[in-house]
Amino acid sequence: MSNPAYSLRQLSYFVAVAEAGTLAGASATLHVSASALSLALDELERALDAQLTVRRRAHGIRLTPAGQETLRRARRLLREADELADAAGGDPGDVAGTVRVGCYTTLAPGLLPAAIGRFTADHPRARVEFVEGSQDLLVRGLLEGELDVAVLYDHRLDPALELTAVSANMPHLVLPRGHRQLRGAEPVALADLVDEPMVLLDLPPSSEHALGVCLAAGLSPRVRYRTANAETARALVGQGLGFTVLAQADPEAGRREEVVAVPIAEEPAPLPIVLAWSGQVAPTATARAFAAAVTSCGPTV
C-alpha cells in the first residue's frame, strides 16, 4: 500500500478554509498566514488531481462539486485520526476520541443529558460535542460530514441515511387550565376545537406532524401564532391564545400551572424517534458507543 500524497495538515487547512469561507477567516482561526493556507490548498489539489475550490479575490472561497465531496471525506479522516491518537494512549478496546452528535431541539432536554451521562461514565476518555437544531439542519450536518450521528423524528428523512429505532412520542393536546373541554385527564377531541385558534410549534417536522394530526381528526386549524420554541407555545396557550399539539414524551414538560396536557381522543399514531447517520460512511467506534448509550436510554426519551 502506497502512502497518500497529501497530509493531514493539508486536509485540516482545507476544512478550515471551507468552513470559514475565506482564507483570511481561516488564517485568523488557525493562526497561520493566508499565503501558507493557499499553498497548502494548491498542494492538496495537485495531490488529488482535482480542483477543490474556486478562489475569487474579495469574494471568498467556493467549493467545487469535487471539493464538497472531499470536504465530507476530509472531516471523516480527521475525526478518525483524532480517535486513533486518543485511543493509542489507552487499553486495547477502549473507546476514545470525540463524537459529534446532533439532536432535534425538542428531543434534546429529555434525551441528551442521560445519554451523555451514561456514555461518559462508560467511556471516560471519550468526548461529546453536540448541536441542537431543526431536522433539516441536522440532516445536512450528517450528509456533509459535520455530524457523526443524530437523534431525529422518523418523518420524511433523506433515504441516504441509515436509521435505528430508539422509541416513539405520543402527540398530545395542550389547553389553558379551565378550558371548557377539560374533564380532568380525559381525552379531548380535536374536532371539538373547530372554533378555536391554534398555536403552532413551527419547527419541522413537528409543524407538519401537528397539522397532519389535526387534519386526520377532521380539523382544519386556524393558526394564529407560530413559534420555534415549545415553551413559548405553552406560554401562549397559557394566556388563552389558542391550543397546541406537541409530541414530547413528557406531556407536563415545562410544568406551567396555567396549561394542561391531555390525550387526544382521535388517538393519533406515535411519532417514531430514530438514530441516524450517513449511509455513505460507516460510523466510528466512538459513534457506535454513543448510539448504544442513546438506545439504552430510549424508554426515557
Side-chain angles (χ1 to χ4, degrees):
M1 181 181 297
S2 60
N3 292 326
Y6 55 85
S7 67
L8 291 178
R9 177 184 61 83
Q10 291 167 346
L11 290 179
S12 66
Y13 285 2
F14 167 66
V15 170
V17 170
E19 291 179 346
T22 64
L23 288 171
S27 175
T29 300
L30 297 174
H31 305 291
V32 175
S33 70
S35 59
L37 291 176
S38 182
L39 178 60
L41 290 182
D42 290 339
E43 292 171 344
L44 181 61
E45 289 181 327
R46 283 196 296 271
L48 298 179
D49 192 23
Q51 182 178 354
L52 306 179
T53 65
V54 176
R55 286 170 253 177
R56 300 170 296 172
R57 189 179 300 276
H59 292 284
I61 299 291
R62 180 173 61 82
L63 296 185
T64 65
Q68 293 172 350
E69 176 64 15
T70 300
L71 176 62
R72 184 182 65 81
R73 292 177 177 270
R75 284 171 170 152
R76 177 63 180 216
L77 281 172
L78 292 170
R79 204 165 300 168
E80 290 181 338
D82 287 343
E83 190 174 82
L84 177 63
D86 288 332
D91 296 329
D94 271 0
V95 172
T98 300
V99 58
R100 292 165 177 83
V101 177
C103 192
Y104 183 68
T105 298
T106 62
L107 294 176
L111 182 143
L112 279 183
I116 293 174
R118 181 164 300 183
F119 175 74
T120 54
D122 292 342
H123 309 290
R125 300 184 62 249
R127 299 180 300 277
V128 178
E129 296 178 359
F130 66 87
V131 173
E132 302 168 71
S134 67
Q135 196 123 312
D136 290 345
L137 173 71
L138 300 178
V139 168
R140 186 166 62 250
L142 289 172
L143 297 178
E144 294 181 357
E146 296 177 0
L147 299 174
D148 293 307
V149 64
V151 185
L152 307 164
Y153 280 123
D154 187 4
H155 184 82
R156 299 181 181 177
L157 290 175
D158 193 300
L161 297 178
E162 297 287 340
L163 308 177
T164 297
V166 175
S167 60
N169 282 349
M170 179 64 72
H172 59 272
L173 178 64
V174 181
L175 293 171
R177 189 172 296 277
H179 190 277
R180 58 185 175 80
Q181 293 291 343
L182 286 174
R183 302 289 186 275
E186 293 182 12
V188 173
L190 286 171
D192 291 337
L193 303 177
V194 64
D195 295 324
E196 302 191 24
M198 182 180 189
V199 177
L200 181 66
L201 178 59
D202 197 8
L203 187 69
S206 290
S207 49
E208 298 173 10
H209 181 259
L211 292 173
V213 167
C214 291
L215 292 172
L219 172 65
S220 297
R222 294 181 293 109
V223 177
R224 176 179 292 176
Y225 298 105
R226 297 173 181 265
T227 174
N229 187 303
E231 191 54 31
T232 302
R234 291 189 191 90
L236 289 167
V237 171
Q239 291 296 314
L241 299 174
F243 69 90
T244 193
V245 173
L246 301 176
Q248 292 167 285
D250 181 5
E252 297 298 333
R255 300 292 190 271
R256 304 190 70 90
E257 294 184 358
E258 64 270 30
V259 301
V260 177
V262 294
I264 297 172
E266 290 86 355
E267 297 184 352
L271 187 55
I273 300 166
V274 294
L275 274 164
W277 58 89
S278 173
Q280 300 175 336
V281 183
T284 65
T286 311
R288 291 195 300 271
F290 185 82
V294 171
T295 54
S296 68
C297 295
T300 66
V301 171

